[in-house]
Amino acid sequence: QVQLVESGGGLVQAGGSLRLSCAASGRTFSRYAMGWFRQAPGKEREFVAGMSLSAGNTYYVDSVKGRFTISRDNAKNTVYLQMNSLKPEDTAVYYCASATDMGWVPTRRNQYDYWGQGTQVTVSS
């Protein structure tokens, strides 16, 4: 069993920054891939960013490239999502998820088998 706990969400003005954290337990951290998804009201949950922890490679959806950065701290079993230059359209509940690490970054929701509870990010204009 894997437990994922997100934190760091909140309300920020457009152009501002937030850093989300996802603390993982119950699984060897370096053996799985981690992803961040988001879901806005009335919309499907979408992939935002991910990292293969064994290979170290990352992948981002086009809408956040250059603004968001995913990183990890192995000592803390924690993955972060640094979000800069936030826009109102980034408003959503953000979820972290873990998947079996195959050496690349999974981008589909059904490739992930454990999920956190989500953290709300609201960007005001």
Side-chain angles (χ1 to χ4, degrees):
Q1 188 72 16
V2 176
Q3 293 80 43
L4 302 173
V5 180
E6 302 103 332
S7 60
L11 173 64
V12 64
Q13 288 187 331
S17 298
L18 283 174
R19 188 178 78 159
L20 305 183
S21 300
C22 176
S25 61
R27 195 172 187 179
T28 304
F29 190 63
S30 62
R31 294 183 181 177
Y32 50 95
M34 295 295 295
W36 285 97
F37 288 72
R38 66 186 179 187
Q39 188 166 18
K43 294 188 176 181
E44 295 288 319
R45 191 172 299 187
E46 64 170 350
F47 173 84
V48 175
M51 171 181 280
S52 164
L53 299 186
S54 66
N57 50 322
T58 59
Y59 186 81
Y60 301 89
V61 69
D62 285 346
S63 60
V64 307
K65 283 181 182 177
R67 301 188 298 123
F68 291 11
T69 303
I70 187 170
S71 63
R72 66 185 181 191
D73 184 334
N74 287 342
K76 296 183 179 180
N77 278 11
T78 300
V79 173
Y80 303 97
L81 185 67
Q82 177 67 43
M83 306 186 294
N84 299 328
S85 302
L86 282 162
K87 304 175 181 180
E89 51 264 43
D90 294 318
T91 295
V93 177
Y94 283 71
Y95 300 88
C96 71
S98 70
T100 300
D101 197 331
M102 304 294 286
W104 64 83
V105 179
T107 60
R108 295 198 304 271
R109 193 175 164 180
N110 61 5
Q111 294 173 307
Y112 288 82
D113 45 10
Y114 293 98
W115 294 82
Q117 81 287 352
T119 185
Q120 176 71 46
V121 171
T122 303
V123 184
S124 63
S125 56

